């Protein structure tokens, strides 16, 4: 009825009983054709060596690629959750249970250039291990009317900016520690990405009655 390679019933393998020599050399017959398998100790050792070499290459490539990927992402942008009430009502609107998650653009501030009204992330002047998020109120050379600082008016020195939280009285900012060095700048918040119903692009904007003072020279 059916030949040795047919499906159904019982197929037969040609070759009958294999000798120990045939098993070691891996030679036997299935149907009309003869197949060879390299199971000799020498070949198996070579295959094991090649396998270990490929594994080492993969592992080393993985650990090289991961830091590169992390470095690229860290240089371009990253996401961060905003905690606390210092930026209310713009971030973490009062009464919300979920914290806003923002996209922080690092590439745009690589030269430490920001605009008035930008929301930025920076290292705290009081605690280098902590990052804070505030709004830029004034740039170097601007005259600022402070809110509770030791001096009523401050000229922002070169290489510094003036930052504040939107929720005055609930924010530790330049009104507490003065102008901040631009070298502490870490990123600019470009979007709110979570929760989904809060998704929006963040545009530079100054709160009412905040910002640099307009001098007579500028008016003239």
């Amino acid at each position: 009825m059916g030949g040795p390679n047919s499906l159904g019933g019982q197929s037969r393998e040609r070759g009958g009983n294999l000798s120990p020599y045939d098993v070691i050399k891996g030679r036997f017959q299935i149907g009309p054709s003869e197949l060879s398998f390299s199971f000799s100790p020498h070949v198996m050792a070579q295959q094991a060596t090649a396998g270990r070499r490929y594994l080492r290459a993969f592992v080393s490539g993985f650990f090289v690629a991961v830091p590169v990927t992390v470095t690229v992402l860290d240089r371009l942008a990253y996401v961060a959750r905003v905690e606390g009430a210092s930026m209310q009502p713009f971030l973490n609107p009062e009464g919300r249970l979920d914290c806003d998650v923002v996209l922080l653009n690092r590439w745009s501030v690589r030269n430490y250039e920001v605009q008035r009204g930008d929301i930025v992330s920076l290292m705290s002047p009081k605690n280098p291990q902590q990052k804070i998020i505030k709004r830029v109120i004034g740039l170097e050379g601007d005259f600022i009317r402070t809110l509770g600082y030791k001096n009523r008016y401050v000229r922002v020195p070169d290489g510094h900016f003036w930052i504040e939280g939107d929720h005055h009285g609930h924010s530790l900012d330049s009104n507490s520690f003065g102008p901040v060095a631009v070298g502490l700048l870490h990123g600019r918040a470009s979007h709110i990405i979570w929760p989904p119903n809060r998704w929006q692009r963040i545009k530079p904007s100054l709160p009412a009655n905040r910002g640099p003072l307009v001098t007579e020279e500028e008016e003239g």
Side-chain angles (χ1 to χ4, degrees):
M1 294 289 293
N5 293 323
S6 65
L7 299 178
Q10 295 181 354
S11 61
R12 298 178 182 178
E13 295 183 357
R14 294 180 58 191
N17 297 326
L18 301 178
S19 68
Y21 175 80
D22 289 330
V23 173
I24 292 175
K25 296 299 293 182
R27 299 184 64 193
F28 59 93
Q29 293 180 338
I30 300 178
S33 60
E34 181 178 283
L35 302 179
S36 296
F37 295 86
S38 296
F39 290 122
S40 65
H42 177 68
V43 173
M44 292 177 67
Q46 287 182 332
Q47 292 175 344
T49 301
R52 286 193 295 268
R53 185 168 61 250
Y54 293 146
L55 180 61
R56 283 197 300 269
F58 171 78
V59 171
S60 62
F62 175 80
F63 284 106
V64 168
V66 168
V68 169
T69 302
V70 172
T71 301
V72 169
L73 292 176
D74 187 58
R75 288 182 178 275
L76 295 179
Y78 68 101
V79 297
R81 185 176 66 175
V82 179
E83 298 180 345
S86 69
M87 286 301 295
Q88 289 179 351
F90 186 78
L91 296 176
N92 292 350
E94 190 172 1
R96 289 197 57 85
L97 298 178
D98 297 329
C99 294
D100 285 342
V101 176
V102 297
L103 177 65
L104 294 167
N105 188 326
R106 296 209 66 190
W107 184 253
S108 67
V109 298
R110 64 192 183 280
N111 296 322
Y112 303 105
E113 296 177 356
V114 294
Q115 303 179 52
R116 300 178 187 92
D118 279 344
I119 295 178
V120 297
S121 168
L122 63 153
M123 287 187 291
S124 170
K126 296 295 185 181
N127 181 6
Q129 303 301 319
Q130 180 184 20
K131 290 187 178 67
I132 58 178
I133 185 164
K134 305 295 176 184
R135 191 182 298 274
V136 177
I137 301 298
L139 305 176
E140 59 182 25
D142 287 344
F143 287 89
I144 302 295
R145 185 183 72 256
T146 68
L147 300 173
Y149 188 58
K150 59 184 179 181
N151 299 324
R152 178 62 173 165
Y153 297 96
V154 170
R155 181 186 181 277
V156 181
D158 293 345
H160 291 69
F161 51 15
W162 188 270
I163 58 169
E164 293 180 355
D166 289 356
H167 198 179
H168 300 303
H170 295 79
S171 174
L172 188 65
D173 51 33
S174 287
N175 289 297
S176 301
F177 41 69
V180 177
V182 296
L184 298 179
L185 185 63
H186 198 258
R188 178 181 59 83
S190 61
H191 295 80
I192 299 174
I193 62 174
W194 191 266
N197 63 337
R198 291 270 298 145
W199 192 96
Q200 60 183 288
R201 181 182 177 187
I202 300 176
K203 299 179 180 179
S205 176
L206 286 171
N209 302 320
R210 298 308 296 152
L213 299 174
V214 179
T215 64
E216 293 181 358
E217 292 181 0
E218 289 176 338
E219 290 179 342

